[in-house]
Amino acid sequence: MKVSLNELSGHPANERIYEPTDLEDLIESISDNDLLEPIVITKERRIISGHRRYAAMVKLGRNHCEARVIKPKNEIITLIEHNRH
């Protein structure tokens, strides 16, 4: 499903769990190849997986992206599991 980037919000636990990283390679990849994996979000439009992809698309000036909606039993566990790789 296509969603507006303005509708999305980062999961508050993401900043506590993960350190900020350089986005330049990801920005270049998305610019060259578009988004290869959709962002994973809750029905409330909270990002579970794809915080870096989201940030890169915002820096590129994109307005929309592909997203996959899931209903996690535990958002924190799901966020960690989705971001293992």
Side-chain angles (χ1 to χ4, degrees):
M1 99 189 295
K2 196 163 219 140
V3 296
S4 169
L5 293 178
N6 292 333
E7 296 175 12
L8 302 180
S9 64
H11 197 287
N14 191 72
E15 290 182 17
R16 290 191 313 264
I17 297 170
Y18 301 105
E19 303 262 335
T21 60
D22 182 52
L23 296 175
E24 291 309 311
D25 287 344
L26 184 56
I27 290 170
E28 185 177 332
S29 174
I30 292 172
S31 181
D32 292 346
N33 306 303
D34 209 10
L35 189 62
L36 300 177
E37 273 302 308
I39 290 177
V40 179
I41 61 174
T42 65
K43 68 179 180 176
E44 294 82 19
R45 303 286 201 251
R46 193 169 27 257
I47 300 169
I48 296 295
S49 178
H51 291 84
R52 292 181 72 243
R53 285 171 273 164
Y54 167 81
M57 287 186 294
V58 168
K59 286 194 178 240
L60 284 166
R62 303 279 175 96
N63 296 315
H64 295 84
C65 73
E66 286 297 320
R68 183 167 51 99
V69 178
I70 63 169
K71 293 164 88 177
K73 290 181 183 177
N74 180 313
E75 288 187 9
I76 305 293
I77 298 296
T78 304
L79 186 143
I80 292 167
E81 291 299 321
H82 269 272
N83 290 288
R84 277 191 187 269
H85 44 79

